[in-house]
Amino acid sequence: MSELLFGKALNWTCWDHRNVLTALLDATLKNWSAEQNIKSRLTRVEHLEDQLQALSVHPIGLSAWALWDEESLETLCHTLLAVREMPRPPLRVCYLAPELAEYVAILSEAGAQIVFSQLPSLEAVLSKALSEVTLSQHGFHPLTGGLLERLPWGE
């Protein structure tokens, strides 16, 4: 069987309006996925409220959020609580701007599994956590990618 058609993928989402965390995760996951012979696929989320919809539609293995200001803290906590209660929740990663580091405990209590405020520290922690991430068993061919999800009798 062709790995192109029947390989594994790590589907992930990221809510980060500055794209700093997104870029870091993208680079880290591309390196990791190349070593593991796994495809890494990002589903971008523009609004925090859309994260739950993306998680219910796609088999997501990792979800990430970047908190740059206090205004989104309450909504992020509600989102984390809802994601934590899902039947197969993804790995939940939260980045806090350094001036918001006091909220680490709040986000951990809400359901974040990895919370950090120093970007360079993510790679070491994430590499250990990725071994437990849920992978998708779908093919990668551009013509058939996502086809199973669109079929009425799909998974």
Side-chain angles (χ1 to χ4, degrees):
M1 284 192 218
S2 167
E3 289 184 18
L4 179 68
L5 294 175
F6 301 102
K8 294 182 180 181
L10 170 59
N11 296 319
W12 61 285
T13 64
C14 190
W15 177 74
D16 174 18
H17 64 271
R18 293 188 186 175
N19 288 323
V20 174
L21 177 61
T22 307
L24 177 64
L25 277 172
D26 191 42
T28 303
L29 292 174
K30 279 185 181 174
N31 290 337
W32 176 80
S33 62
E35 293 171 5
Q36 303 294 320
N37 198 24
I38 294 170
K39 177 87 170 164
S40 171
R41 289 189 231 159
L42 168 64
T43 300
R44 290 191 183 272
V45 178
E46 296 297 322
H47 304 285
L48 185 54
E49 298 81 12
D50 297 339
Q51 189 101 9
L52 290 174
Q53 181 182 1
L55 291 168
S56 65
V57 173
H58 305 287
I60 303 294
L62 182 145
S63 251
W65 296 267
L67 188 65
W68 298 100
D69 55 55
E70 290 182 36
E71 294 175 16
S72 303
L73 179 64
E74 184 177 349
T75 308
L76 177 54
C77 286
H78 288 295
T79 302
L80 283 166
L81 286 167
V83 171
R84 181 175 72 179
E85 299 301 320
M86 294 179 132
R88 292 180 50 169
L91 175 64
R92 299 169 303 280
V93 177
C94 289
Y95 168 75
L96 294 169
E99 61 272 12
L100 301 175
E102 64 195 70
Y103 297 117
V104 168
I106 292 172
L107 292 176
S108 295
E109 186 70 29
Q113 294 167 292
I114 299 174
V115 183
F116 64 103
S117 60
Q118 301 296 322
L119 288 170
S121 64
L122 175 64
E123 193 168 350
V125 175
L126 192 60
S127 64
K128 294 175 185 173
L130 286 173
S131 63
E132 302 300 319
V133 156
T134 302
L135 299 175
S136 170
Q137 300 293 328
H138 299 284
F140 311 130
H141 194 279
L143 295 176
T144 60
L147 180 62
L148 291 177
E149 292 90 354
R150 294 190 304 263
L151 293 172
W153 59 84
E155 298 182 332

